[in-house]
Amino acid sequence: MRQHIHPNMKKTLKYTLRRFKSLPALICVVLLFVQQGFAQNPKTEIRGVWVATVSNLDWPTGSDRFDKDHQQATMLAILDSALAWNLNTIILQIRPQSDAFYESTLAPWSEYISGSRGVSPGYDPLLFAIEEAHKRGLELHGWLNPYRYETSVGKNDGKPGDFNAEHPEWMLNYSDDRIFNPGVPEVQQHLKEIVGEIINNYDIDGIHFDDYFYPYSGTGSEDQATYETYGSGFASIGDWRRNNVSHMVGEVYDTIQSIKPYIRFGISPFGIYGNGQNPSGIVGLDAYNTIYTDPLQWLSEGNIDYLNPQLYWPTGGSQDFASLLPWWAGHAYDNGRHVIAGHGIYRLDSEAATARIAGTNQLHETKSYFDFSNSTARVMADAWTLDQVETQIEIVRDNRDKNAVGGVFFRNNDFTRVNGLIDYLNADVYSAPALMPAMTWKNATTLEAPANIRWEEDESGISYLAWDQVSADHRYVVYASDDENPADGFFDDPANLVAVLYQNAFYMQETSSTAGKPYIFITTYDRYGNESATASQFTFEVPSSQSELLSPADDAEGLSSFFDFQWTSTESAQQYRIQISTSSTFSTIDFETSVDATEINATEFDLQGSETYYWRVAAGNFFGFGPESEVFTFKTGFPGSAQMIYPVADEERVDLSPLIKWESDPLVAGVRLQIAKGGDQFEDFNIVIDEDLGAVSQYQITQPFIEWTTYHMRIQLYNDLGQGDWYEMRFKTMIRLPEAPVIYSPLVDESLTEESEINFVWSKTALATGYQVVLSTDSQRENVLDETAKFSANDTTSTLGPLSPGVYYLQVAGSNVGGPGEWSQVVLDIAEVLGTVEPDALSPLKAYYQSDGSVHVTVVTGHAEFEISMFDISGKRMVMPAASRDANGELKYSFKRNQIPGIALITLEMEGAAYQIKVMGID
């Protein structure tokens, strides 16, 4: 372990200027480097977000907002997000209106945490939030509204914490609400005790007041009687009111300093001070005259650690952020305190739409810069863009020399509401973590770097870096480097900052910037924001030793599906990688995962039944993995998956009452069979069979399935050691097909010739929705000449012919969605017609075949009327081409022979005589 000196950034810069003041050019280079390297992401900067609980604006939210588990889960999400966005401060509203988000004897439980005022949520939300924030290196400040009693008159009457009934003299009554009367000494004492109770009972990092003092709506004579009782010695009632607030602020600050002086105390006054002291050009409602507060008095009396003015305006105009922030910063600097800007990100544009907050209860404040002309919404004029946020942060950083040390964003939900805001912050202005600025006006002892950095092991077998704790109130900062002796300026660059820890233990995270950086440096960091001038070093190395496999033992057999893998821990291991393979050489790896413990349950892997596996473990950290352990083998003792015999997957026309069969496993003790109809959800609404069977390999369906229906089936084998994987499949049931029709015509042995027209007629048959008609040269329908589909159950005729001489099979079957049913057929023997046609020499039909693959048929008709037709071999009429005249004036019909299927028959009827000619095509 070594110690390294690391001066803070300001000291480094002053030293550089002293050393090189005779070298102006080099000074410029140094200044430019510091500005470019660190100015955009200062190492110390308050980056906070308000988490509003009044009306459940930010937390807890949702329909189940009063559920403890939901509350804790959503709080963790808020904290995780803040850490991911490189924020460092959560300002959580814990007293929204005279109530509490914590255990208190002075105020009732808030209705916003349990649903009813005075009812406990079943845990301590503030304690939970503080502990979880500290685990993440985040500060948590308690946000209190000191004076607000109820938001509508009578809201709290008769409920726990009914201060109006107990102490009516404490109340200041307005037409719309009640507040605690700031002029009553007992009220001031009560608020002091409220803060004292919180800081005594909780490890809180800050106390924060918002800007609700006297109401924004104005105060007239409501407190005249109180003024007459307590206001002697003041020139005006306004001075008296402001002193009431300032006195309470001083009492609270004294309480904090006497108990836990490191707690930061801050207030968010309205952004315009007033009293004739505004920056040039600034006009509007002010804190001094409307809500009767004097933040400059708090500063001058040293009763506050920071001011957080609510500067919810853009740059430019009569409420110019660029004028107001430096004005506040100047006063804070003159009094040796901090100023933190309040950024109104709720005014940001969202998806190019004007930002609107619906309903008057959607923000915690009522300010004059809202337009209430629309009674249903608050409209913020001139919605901002991300450029406005960047500009404001740059203005704050430009005033760091005047103690402007950061910003707080109103409010948490707007981080996720506004497109691009989170990405912008991470990529640009908050790309690295930041520490809290030091409160230099408070006493702080010299800090020593942590001693005795070492590996320790927790109960899970995970190693972490530990060191001797300097003090229970000290925190620690972790840096990582590639260099054992980092260059000057290393500790000033926030890019090297890895984590802020609230305990003397460091578990490296997978997303940590320590990955691959072996040199770790740790400094001490107190709650005032001071950091030790020295850092202790630790060299980070990959684990060097092997883990020893413990369970299951090597060659173990008959293992369940829920046993534990266990192995020994290894020094410096922050995780363990387990690999499982069916290959002894691990040529393929079936399962692999990393675990932050020395055991993992087998249910984390989809192990197969009746299978032999090999496994090994390697210890690792985020610098790499060490050597693999030896290899153990084991065999599972629960069954594997079933293999289907009948029906097979996607089979159709399955029997309506099938005997379902599968190949089982010798290890099987029982079988779970489920069959579902209408989908593969296997839920109550669609399961038709759900059986838990014995060690069988078949199941007879007793209630027939529905015809032509898709079913989903799954089978799982099991025994006492576990279950095999579900085997899932689907099948489709058969449909009953039509019986064979009766052929009425043509009759068997009916005399047919090549000139006959054939009328095919059959009977209707049950279950048929249509018919299939086939003409072929064989009974098996292998050489089909013609096929016709009939789509009506009533269409039972078909016409064919003339056919060329030969033997044909004419078949018909009824059909439905399941396909054709049984076939009926009649055999046709077509005889050649002889002697009925005049000799070829006298025939008016002649055919001439050409070398180009065409054929011309000529017709000598004189002027006689005639009818000419052409049929294919199945008897279908073909379209005759258009006729032309040849050189002799005779009619000519021309064909391409490849257009003729086999043999075509041309017939001519003229003057009572019939003539035929066959034309040969080309197949």
Side-chain angles (χ1 to χ4, degrees):
M1 182 183 71
R2 302 180 183 178
Q3 290 192 335
H4 289 252
I5 303 296
H6 87 283
N8 62 39
M9 187 170 67
K10 185 177 289 187
K11 290 180 180 178
T12 301
L13 181 56
K14 287 182 177 178
Y15 172 79
T16 304
L17 290 175
R18 276 201 311 271
R19 183 175 180 185
F20 294 106
K21 70 178 181 178
S22 61
L23 300 174
L26 185 54
I27 292 174
C28 292
V29 171
V30 172
L31 287 172
L32 180 63
F33 171 77
V34 172
Q35 180 180 7
Q36 290 181 343
F38 307 137
Q40 282 198 336
N41 282 274
K43 179 182 174 182
T44 62
E45 184 173 52
I46 291 180
R47 301 171 184 171
V49 59
W50 279 291
V51 179
T53 60
V54 65
S55 300
N56 300 116
L57 293 181
D58 288 320
W59 182 78
T61 58
S63 59
D64 49 355
R65 61 187 177 276
F66 300 125
D67 175 75
K68 171 187 171 182
D69 292 339
H70 175 76
Q71 289 178 356
Q72 293 185 343
T74 51
M75 174 53 69
L76 294 181
I78 290 172
L79 299 175
D80 287 339
S81 297
L83 182 63
W85 303 335
N86 284 325
L87 305 183
N88 55 21
T89 307
I90 303 296
I91 300 181
L92 176 65
Q93 192 173 27
I94 60 174
R95 177 185 167 87
Q97 52 177 7
S98 66
D99 50 9
F101 270 60
Y102 54 91
E103 291 276 1
S104 174
T105 61
L106 302 174
W109 282 107
S110 174
E111 65 182 286
Y112 302 125
I113 191 64
S114 65
S116 299
R117 186 175 175 91
V119 175
S120 170
Y123 74 110
D124 191 327
L126 179 57
L127 178 63
F128 176 80
I130 291 173
E131 290 179 347
E132 292 299 329
H134 288 177
K135 288 177 184 178
R136 292 157 176 79
L138 299 170
E139 288 206 356
L140 191 134
H141 295 203
W143 163 14
L144 287 74
N145 184 292
Y147 291 124
R148 180 165 57 196
Y149 173 62
E150 58 188 4
T151 53
S152 60
V153 175
K155 178 181 179 181
N156 293 332
D157 288 355
K159 298 178 181 178
D162 185 354
F163 290 96
N164 183 57
E166 298 171 5
H167 301 285
E169 72 279 7
W170 289 14
M171 295 292 105
L172 197 55
N173 297 299
Y174 294 81
S175 60
D176 296 328
D177 55 8
R178 284 193 181 106
I179 69 170
F180 286 95
N181 191 336
V184 175
E186 289 82 5
V187 167
Q188 298 174 13
Q189 178 64 26
H190 175 67
L191 296 177
K192 176 181 178 178
E193 292 173 357
I194 288 285
V195 173
E197 181 183 54
I198 294 170
I199 64 177
N200 270 304
N201 295 342
Y202 294 92
D203 189 23
I204 203 161
D205 301 294
I207 295 294
H208 185 95
F209 287 172
D210 59 22
D211 58 336
Y212 279 107
F213 298 103
Y214 286 88
Y216 275 93
S217 57
T219 301
S221 60
E222 289 87 351
D223 60 347
Q224 183 65 35
T226 313
Y227 174 56
E228 292 171 358
T229 302
Y230 300 107
S232 61
F234 290 91
S236 68
I237 194 170
D239 288 345
W240 170 73
R241 288 168 178 165
R242 282 181 287 274
N243 186 72
N244 293 334
V245 176
S246 294
H247 183 267
M248 182 271 294
V249 168
E251 289 292 296
V252 167
Y253 192 72
D254 287 345
T255 300
I256 294 173
Q257 300 317 299
S258 65
I259 301 174
K260 295 178 180 177
Y262 53 78
I263 291 179
R264 296 175 193 258
F265 179 43
I267 299 179
S268 295
F270 185 68
I272 299 174
Y273 174 72
N275 196 27
Q277 300 186 50
N278 295 335
S280 176
I282 298 297
V283 296
L285 177 148
D286 64 71
Y288 190 88
N289 294 297
T290 301
I291 58 176
Y292 299 102
T293 56
D294 190 351
L296 298 188
Q297 182 180 353
W298 309 336
L299 286 173
S300 65
E301 293 178 349
N303 287 334
I304 198 167
D305 294 316
Y306 66 85
L307 284 179
N308 180 208
Q310 297 184 20
L311 303 175
Y312 296 166
W313 302 282
T315 53
S318 56
Q319 294 89 35
D320 180 16
F321 182 97
S323 298
L324 288 167
L325 184 280
W327 184 90
W328 285 103
H331 285 284
Y333 179 78
D334 290 343
N335 290 279
R337 293 296 189 268
H338 288 155
V339 70
I340 307 164
H343 300 291
I345 58 171
Y346 62 85
R347 299 186 68 177
L348 276 161
D349 201 17
S350 179
E351 296 184 355
T354 300
R356 291 175 179 264
I357 307 295
T360 57
N361 66 340
Q362 292 301 299
L363 288 171
H364 83 291
E365 74 282 290
T366 302
K367 302 292 173 57
S368 64
Y369 48 78
F370 287 105
D371 175 11
F372 286 94
S373 60
N374 181 340
S375 62
T376 62
R378 298 177 176 188
V379 181
M380 278 69 74
D382 302 323
W384 297 359
T385 64
L386 294 180
D387 291 341
Q388 181 61 224
V389 180
E390 180 176 15
T391 298
Q392 292 190 7
I393 293 174
E394 287 176 353
I395 291 170
V396 174
R397 289 175 175 175
D398 287 344
N399 285 273
R400 284 181 66 83
D401 59 343
K402 292 198 293 185
N403 285 10
V405 294
V408 181
F409 299 92
F410 186 80
R411 53 188 174 80
N412 187 77
N413 279 0
D414 291 299
F415 275 112
T416 54
R417 176 187 66 82
V418 180
N419 277 356
L421 178 58
I422 296 170
D423 293 339
Y424 156 72
L425 291 175
N426 277 153
D428 195 346
V429 294
Y430 293 163
S431 60
L435 304 181
M436 298 294 287
M439 294 185 287
T440 55
W441 54 92
K442 296 188 176 183
N443 292 330
T445 59
T446 300
L447 300 176
E448 298 294 334
N452 190 25
I453 301 178
R454 60 196 180 273
W455 286 112
E456 288 193 359
E457 186 177 297
D458 65 15
E459 65 279 2
S460 298
I462 297 302
S463 296
Y464 60 92
L465 289 187
W467 50 89
D468 295 343
Q469 184 159 299
V470 178
S471 165
D473 283 335
H474 284 129
R475 296 163 181 178
Y476 307 93
V477 184
V478 180
Y479 302 83
S481 173
D482 290 319
D483 192 342
E484 183 178 10
N485 296 294
D488 291 343
F490 170 83
F491 292 100
D492 294 325
D493 186 350
N496 299 318
L497 198 158
V498 174
V500 175
L501 304 174
Y502 284 42
Q503 61 282 328
N504 58 329
F506 178 44
Y507 287 83
M508 298 183 189
Q509 301 299 313
E510 188 169 4
T511 56
S512 168
S513 59
T514 59
K517 295 181 179 181
Y519 302 106
I520 304 300
F521 300 90
I522 304 177
T523 62
T524 303
Y525 173 55
D526 69 19
R527 301 186 73 161
Y528 296 94
N530 302 300
E531 190 177 8
S532 63
T534 57
S536 296
Q537 178 190 343
F538 186 86
T539 302
F540 191 43
E541 296 177 345
V542 69
S544 59
S545 58
Q546 295 175 307
S547 290
E548 179 183 345
L549 304 186
L550 299 177
S551 177
D554 196 17
D555 294 322
E557 293 188 355
L559 294 186
S560 71
S561 61
F562 43 84
F563 66 91
D564 287 326
F565 291 97
Q566 295 177 326
W567 55 91
T568 60
S569 61
T570 298
E571 185 181 43
S572 78
Q574 296 199 303
Q575 60 179 337
Y576 296 90
R577 182 184 65 202
I578 179 173
Q579 294 177 329
I580 304 172
S581 176
T582 53
S583 165
S584 61
T585 62
F586 289 83
S587 57
T588 59
I589 296 176
D590 295 89
F591 308 104
E592 177 178 312
T593 192
S594 294
V595 57
D596 296 338
T598 55
E599 66 178 15
I600 187 172
N601 192 266
T603 54
E604 297 294 324
F605 311 105
D606 187 21
L607 297 178
Q608 302 299 299
S610 300
E611 183 66 77
T612 298
Y613 288 102
Y614 302 86
W615 68 291
R616 63 187 182 186
V617 170
N621 51 39
F622 294 110
F623 195 64
F625 284 94
E628 301 283 357
S629 68
E630 62 179 321
V631 176
F632 277 12
T633 184
F634 66 90
K635 186 174 182 180
T636 54
F638 54 95
S641 297
Q643 300 297 316
M644 291 306 301
I645 298 175
Y646 180 80
V648 296
D650 298 319
E651 184 172 351
E652 295 190 350
R653 298 188 179 89
V654 172
D655 296 342
L656 299 181
S657 298
L659 178 62
I660 297 174
K661 297 181 180 181
W662 59 89
E663 289 184 3
S664 195
D665 186 296
L667 301 175
V668 69
V671 179
R672 182 80 179 275
L673 170 69
Q674 291 182 331
I675 300 178
K677 180 174 69 71
D680 59 358
Q681 296 92 342
F682 292 97
E683 300 287 350
D684 289 341
F685 69 90
N686 74 329
I687 289 181
V688 295
I689 292 177
D690 189 349
E691 295 285 353
D692 202 343
L693 310 172
V696 298
S697 57
Q698 62 183 30
Y699 178 79
Q700 176 64 57
I701 298 297
T702 57
Q703 182 67 34
F705 291 135
I706 300 172
E707 291 185 53
W708 204 240
T709 299
T710 298
Y711 288 88
H712 294 266
M713 180 171 68
R714 63 181 186 179
I715 297 177
Q716 185 183 57
L717 311 180
Y718 66 86
N719 61 20
D720 291 341
L721 298 176
Q723 303 83 33
D725 285 344
W726 285 100
Y727 175 85
E728 298 188 13
M729 58 167 286
R730 66 178 182 177
F731 61 87
K732 193 171 186 178
T733 54
M734 64 176 294
I735 185 171
R736 287 175 293 175
L737 299 176
E739 296 180 355
V742 176
I743 298 176
Y744 297 142
S745 176
L747 301 174
V748 177
D749 297 329
E750 184 174 346
S751 178
L752 299 171
T753 63
E754 57 183 325
E755 61 184 9
S756 301
E757 185 178 71
I758 303 168
N759 292 319
F760 188 28
V761 183
W762 59 89
S763 67
K764 292 173 60 176
T765 184
L767 304 180
T769 58
Y771 301 92
Q772 294 287 327
V773 179
V774 171
L775 178 67
S776 66
T777 59
D778 63 282
S779 61
Q780 301 303 315
R781 300 177 297 281
E782 293 180 355
N783 184 25
V784 175
L785 303 177
D786 185 63
E787 185 171 4
T788 303
K790 302 285 187 175
F791 298 103
S792 170
N794 298 317
D795 189 356
T796 60
T797 63
S798 186
T799 301
L800 301 92
L803 297 177
S804 299
V807 177
Y808 300 91
Y809 293 82
L810 186 55
Q811 299 174 305
V812 63
S815 62
N816 56 27
V817 293
E822 295 183 37
W823 292 88
S824 297
Q825 74 174 19
V826 62
V827 180
L828 308 177
D829 189 354
I830 308 299
E832 183 177 3
V833 178
L834 300 175
T836 61
V837 181
E838 295 188 19
D840 288 346
L842 301 178
S843 174
L845 294 172
K846 304 290 185 181
Y848 301 93
Y849 294 89
Q850 305 297 317
S851 60
D852 62 358
S854 64
V855 60
H856 303 295
V857 175
T858 61
V859 182
V860 180
T861 62
H863 297 288
E865 294 184 357
F866 66 93
E867 183 177 344
I868 188 168
S869 303
M870 184 168 66
F871 303 89
D872 65 13
I873 193 171
S874 67
K876 283 188 177 179
R877 186 183 296 273
M878 300 175 64
V879 178
M880 289 291 293
S884 61
R885 297 283 181 178
D886 64 9
N888 298 320
E890 296 177 345
L891 288 174
K892 181 175 69 174
Y893 298 89
S894 299
F895 307 89
K896 286 293 185 181
R897 293 181 64 194
N898 58 9
Q899 296 175 344
I900 302 173
I903 300 174
L905 181 67
I906 297 176
T907 63
L908 176 69
E909 294 182 6
M910 184 176 62
E911 295 180 339
Y915 305 92
Q916 294 180 346
I917 189 171
K918 296 177 182 176
V919 178
M920 303 296 293
I922 301 176
D923 291 334

